Amino acid sequence: QVQLVESGGGLVQPGASLTLSCVGSGVSLDYHGIGWFRQAPGKEREGVSSISSTGREINVADSVKGRFTISRDNGKKTVYLQMMDLKPEDTAVYYCAILRPGYYSDFVARWVGSYGIEYYGKGTLVTVSS
């Protein structure tokens, strides 16, 4: 059974940084493109960033460009989302997802749903508030 587990969320003040982690069980993440998406209360889901299996292709949503960095350590079978200069509008549940090939760039441009996402985890809550 494939499971993705996100961790690293929490309550932080505006301007702070957080790094989220994503690990898998029943699947080797190093073979897959991975994306992070978020959903804030009352808002639509938004693809934040994606990374190919080798790390050579990275896509970042305009809303977080320059502040969020996706990376992966295939040796540790972990994908990270480093978030800096967090803003209250970044408050959301953050999910990592295994992406279907061909959807890595679309993932940050529009919601791809099950067309582009094969599996996703239960999420980790990030709250940015003073």
Side-chain angles (χ1 to χ4, degrees):
Q1 183 179 1
V2 174
Q3 287 187 321
L4 300 180
V5 179
E6 305 90 344
S7 62
L11 171 62
V12 296
Q13 293 188 337
S17 299
L18 275 177
T19 297
L20 307 182
S21 300
C22 173
V23 297
S25 63
V27 62
S28 290
L29 293 189
D30 45 329
Y31 293 119
H32 297 279
I34 302 296
W36 286 93
F37 68 93
R38 64 186 181 183
Q39 186 163 28
K43 293 189 177 180
E44 295 186 351
R45 288 168 288 192
E46 175 190 19
V48 172
S49 191
S50 65
I51 186 168
S52 63
S53 59
T54 62
R56 293 195 187 103
E57 178 184 347
I58 289 176
N59 299 282
V60 184
D62 288 342
S63 59
V64 302
K65 198 164 288 183
R67 300 188 297 120
F68 289 15
T69 302
I70 193 170
S71 63
R72 64 191 305 154
D73 184 337
N74 283 344
K76 295 182 178 180
K77 302 185 186 300
T78 303
V79 177
Y80 305 97
L81 183 69
Q82 183 182 14
M83 307 183 294
M84 298 186 296
D85 189 23
L86 283 161
K87 305 177 186 300
E89 53 263 39
D90 295 318
T91 295
V93 179
Y94 285 74
Y95 303 84
C96 67
I98 293 176
L99 303 181
R100 302 185 191 280
Y103 284 90
Y104 301 165
S105 59
D106 284 350
F107 180 74
V108 301
R110 61 181 177 83
W111 182 244
V112 296
S114 59
Y115 288 103
I117 295 173
E118 196 165 356
Y119 297 99
Y120 60 94
K122 294 183 179 180
T124 185
L125 176 62
V126 173
T127 303
V128 184
S129 175
S130 55

